[in-house]
């Protein structure tokens, strides 16, 4: 059985890409990503589309969760890109192409951002577990 997480980007701005991430059970949170820069590694959010998620060990997840989590969801199958993780972060300069969840949409240092990212990440992990068969479907505004 495949479950699909939906990421609806709300705008493409020059300084970041905010969105809303929704699970099949109705739970939702906000997201922040890098701006769209033609899918350039470490500089751009990834293209819209549907991708498989897989659980994998991640140093950035371990660091961002202070060791509470050592693995997280990786977005796989992105053309020309690897190691795209869902992990805690608050605003685009903390990202290198990944997706950060948050409990609120805020502005930080002039960037679109998310608040309480660690809390949102923890809820996402509890709700998705380590189940196989997850996908993420990303759409634009």
């Amino acid at each position: 059985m495949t479950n699909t997480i939906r990421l609806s980007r709300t705008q493409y701005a020059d300084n970041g890409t905010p969105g809303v991430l929704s699970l099949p059970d109705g739970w939702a949170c906000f997201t922040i990503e890098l701006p769209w820069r033609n899918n350039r590694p470490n500089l751009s959010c990834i293209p819209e589309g549907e991708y498989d998620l897989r659980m994998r060990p991640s140093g950035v997840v371990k660091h961002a969760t202070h060791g509470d989590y050592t693995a997280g969801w990786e977005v796989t199958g992105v053309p020309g890109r690897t190691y795209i993780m869902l992990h805690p972060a608050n605003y685009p300069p903390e990202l290198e192409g990944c997706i950060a969840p948050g409990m609120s949409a805020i502005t930080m240092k002039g960037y679109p951002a998310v608040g309480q990212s660690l809390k949102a990440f923890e809820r996402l992990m509890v709700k998705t577990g380590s189940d196989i068969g997850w996908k993420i479907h990303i759409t634009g505004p």
Side-chain angles (χ1 to χ4, degrees):
M1 176 174 163
T2 299
N3 292 307
T4 301
I5 295 171
R6 302 207 175 274
L7 172 52
S8 302
R9 293 173 173 158
T10 55
Q11 71 173 5
Y12 288 105
D14 290 340
N15 60 350
T17 305
V20 176
L21 186 125
S22 306
L23 296 183
D25 70 359
W27 182 80
C29 66
F30 297 93
T31 60
I32 192 62
E33 301 172 81
L34 289 174
W36 175 250
R37 293 187 178 132
N38 298 312
N39 196 35
R40 289 169 46 205
N42 304 316
L43 299 173
S44 176
C45 60
I46 62 175
E48 296 172 14
E50 187 165 283
Y51 304 100
D52 290 328
L53 295 176
R54 75 173 176 129
M55 186 64 58
R56 81 162 183 84
S58 167
V60 71
V61 168
K62 183 177 180 180
H63 174 75
T65 64
H66 313 290
D68 290 342
Y69 290 85
T70 58
W73 290 112
E74 178 185 14
V75 182
T76 66
V78 179
R81 302 282 293 275
T82 56
Y83 304 116
I84 307 301
M85 300 296 296
L86 282 102
H87 69 80
N90 293 107
Y91 72 126
E94 297 177 321
L95 298 167
E96 295 181 348
C98 298
I99 302 167
M103 298 302 292
S104 59
I106 62 173
T107 300
M108 179 181 286
K109 300 179 183 179
Y111 292 90
V114 293
Q116 296 182 293
S117 186
L118 180 56
K119 183 176 180 179
F121 176 82
E122 289 169 342
R123 285 199 183 163
L124 177 65
M125 294 301 289
V126 167
K127 288 185 164 288
T128 57
S130 59
D131 295 340
I132 58 171
W134 281 98
K135 292 185 178 287
I136 188 167
H137 185 82
I138 303 172
T139 58

